[in-house]
Amino acid sequence: MREKRIKTALVSVFHKEGLEKILTKLDELGVQIISTGGTHKFITGLEINALKVEDITSYPSILGGRVKTLHPKIFGGILARGHNEEDAAQLSEYGIEEIDLVIVDLYPFRETVASGAAEQDIIEKIDIGGISLIRAAAKNYDSTLVISGRDQYDRLYDHLDKNGTGFSQETRRTYAAEAFAVSSEYDTDIFNYFNRDEAIDKFRTSISESRMLRYGENPHQRGIFYGRLDEMFDQIHGKEISHNNLLDIDAAVSLINEFEETSFAVLKHNNACGLASRDDLTEAWKDALAGDPLSAFGGVLIANREIDAVTAAEIDKIFFEVIIAPSYNEEALEILKHKKNRIILVQKETELPGDTYRTVLNGVLWQERDTKTESGSDMETVTGKSPDKREITDLAFANKIVKQSKSNTIVLAANKQLIASGVGMTSRVDALKFAIEKAKGFGFKLEGAVMASDAFFPFPDSVEIAHKEGIKAVIQPGGSVRDKLSVDFCNENGMSMVFTGTRHFKH
């Protein structure tokens, strides 16, 4: 690949951190530096000679700094094709010097938006000159090297220190690709800010951070996670998090966020197989595990309170992949860390994004996150018999679980404990039958339990089956043209039923 040596560099950055050693090295290597405003002041403060852009363009920075580098003598020097005779002739005719290196750090638009700044301040952080310099230098990578972010400074310095000013075409092209990633993400942030009321039906997202996974859902599939996982968790122990771990962790966080009481949940394949709310965390764990001790093997555990030594000792009796909690005391960590591959995560106080999307066919489905959680006040009693206080508590408890389970779903619960569930079934009746069989298999009695459904009952068959097992109260969205059939059966058999008016399908 053709090597091009740097003779002239344009440096115009917002953040100066990490730049000093690069400037010093460029100066040592005899590279002429051109700069603007605050960057020029920073460079000369290091006792390094640098030309001002104004010295080249014969125009000052104008419009409050909005126009500094937008001039043919700058962009001509960046965009000139090194082996094009006509370009060379025009450079000579107009007295334009080639610029071989462009170092630009864009105005912090995203950070300004996140700070809650006024709109005018946000608008002023839309970089015009910088983004133009990046795109120009990246387009002309055959002749120009572009450095478009502070995360590239160490790599640039190492190259200059070891190899001098020569850069291969392949290297320049790599930096160009990274520059276009920077510019596209910047434009995405700006569009999403202007389109925050979603008046324009265009889908744009951009994530720079990524981590390569061992594999995807299966070993023969590649997998990458895009995002800042460290914003949500600190991993303090264990092996690398896998694709399937991430899916379970996502489901676990969504589920535990539904509960304010001290609660412990066990998940497998994105669904709860055990969950209990108790005054004591150890008791919550024991009752969550009792819901399905078989499925808990190799599962993901999550709690919404600090893990103490007593609870850790109980948890340590089974094999599991991941544990998540807001904190752990030192004794608990000593117990949990003795298995080297066990993933231990500290969950930070971070809100999940309000939007969700997934690829479907040759496109993307977008929707708002389901953030509606029903309480007793959202329950409309549609039967002659009303649920008592304990049943209302259990109905709300069961409905939270049903909301976070794969459809079709039936959840059976009693005394704030998940007794059993049937999830991901093609038939609601089958989901109920499976849940009943499972509950009995683990020794639970269903007399006095409650039942929750993610969607309405089109026929009374489910409540008929539930009644035979001793279930006394039912929560469902309602909305079927045949609702009356199920309501009538409940009235005739002393059951209570409440409607929430909200369906919670999850596919």
Side-chain angles (χ1 to χ4, degrees), residues 108-119 121-122 125 193:
F109 177 83
R110 180 185 292 180
E111 293 83 354
T112 305
V113 172
S115 74
E119 174 145 303
D121 294 327
I122 292 171
K125 287 299 185 290
Y193 171 75

Side-chain angles (χ1 to χ4, degrees), residues 110 185 206-211 224-229:
R110 180 185 292 180
E185 180 172 52
S206 182
I207 304 173
S208 293
E209 297 79 14
S210 66
R211 63 162 68 187
I224 301 173
F225 173 76
Y226 293 97
R228 289 289 303 275
L229 203 60

Side-chain angles (χ1 to χ4, degrees), residues 63-261:
L63 305 181
R66 284 188 167 196
V67 180
K68 296 190 285 283
T69 57
L70 296 169
H71 192 280
K73 285 202 170 184
I74 298 300
F75 280 84
I78 294 169
L79 286 164
R81 291 160 289 191
H83 293 283
N84 185 295
E85 292 182 3
E86 291 184 9
D87 285 6
Q90 287 187 328
L91 291 182
S92 177
E93 179 182 355
Y94 296 109
I96 299 173
E97 295 293 334
E98 283 189 66
I99 296 173
D100 320 289
L101 169 64
V102 172
I103 302 177
V104 176
D105 174 35
L106 298 174
Y107 291 164
F109 177 83
R110 180 185 292 180
E111 293 83 354
T112 305
V113 172
S115 74
E119 174 145 303
Q120 190 53 46
D121 294 327
I122 292 171
I123 297 303
E124 290 305 317
K125 287 299 185 290
I126 298 177
D127 208 315
I128 302 300
I131 204 76
S132 301
L133 291 169
I134 285 175
R135 291 179 62 85
K139 175 178 179 175
N140 199 34
Y141 72 87
D142 193 55
S143 298
T144 308
L145 176 68
V146 57
I147 301 299
S148 52
R150 289 170 287 165
D151 58 331
Q152 298 171 333
Y153 287 179
D154 286 342
R155 202 185 339 157
L156 172 63
Y157 177 81
D158 288 344
H159 183 103
L160 292 170
D161 189 48
K162 295 174 184 175
N163 306 307
T165 60
F167 287 81
S168 69
Q169 185 187 55
E170 182 181 15
T171 298
R172 295 194 302 274
R173 196 179 195 282
T174 297
Y175 277 107
E178 293 175 2
F180 283 121
V182 168
S183 68
S184 65
E185 180 172 52
Y186 201 74
D187 286 340
T188 295
D189 287 343
I190 295 169
F191 168 75
N192 286 331
Y193 171 75
F194 277 92
N195 195 44
R196 56 194 185 277
D197 59 355
E198 298 167 3
I200 303 172
D201 290 332
K202 304 292 183 184
F203 176 77
R204 299 286 187 275
T205 189
S206 182
I207 304 173
S208 293
E209 297 79 14
S210 66
R211 63 162 68 187
M212 184 68 69
L213 304 176
R214 296 196 304 275
Y215 49 80
E217 196 162 9
N218 299 292
H220 63 278
Q221 296 169 269
R222 292 179 64 242
I224 301 173
F225 173 76
Y226 293 97
R228 289 289 303 275
L229 203 60
D230 60 341
E231 291 182 353
M232 292 204 67
F233 306 102
D234 286 327
Q235 181 173 354
I236 56 178
H237 187 72
K239 63 184 180 180
E240 180 184 341
I241 297 173
S242 71
H243 174 282
N244 293 341
N245 289 153
L246 286 168
L247 292 176
D248 282 330
I249 291 167
D250 176 67
V253 169
S254 295
L255 177 61
I256 206 68
N257 283 351
E258 300 282 350
F259 297 88
E260 294 181 4
E261 289 184 80

Side-chain angles (χ1 to χ4, degrees), residues 270-309:
N270 313 157
N271 292 297
C273 56
L275 197 155
S277 296
R278 296 288 182 264
D279 293 333
D280 177 75
L281 187 64
T282 305
E283 293 306 310
W285 159 250
K286 289 179 179 179
D287 287 344
L289 179 62
D292 188 347
L294 188 62
S295 295
F297 183 87
V300 170
L301 317 183
I302 188 165
N304 59 3
R305 298 291 189 273
E306 180 176 88
I307 304 295
D308 56 44

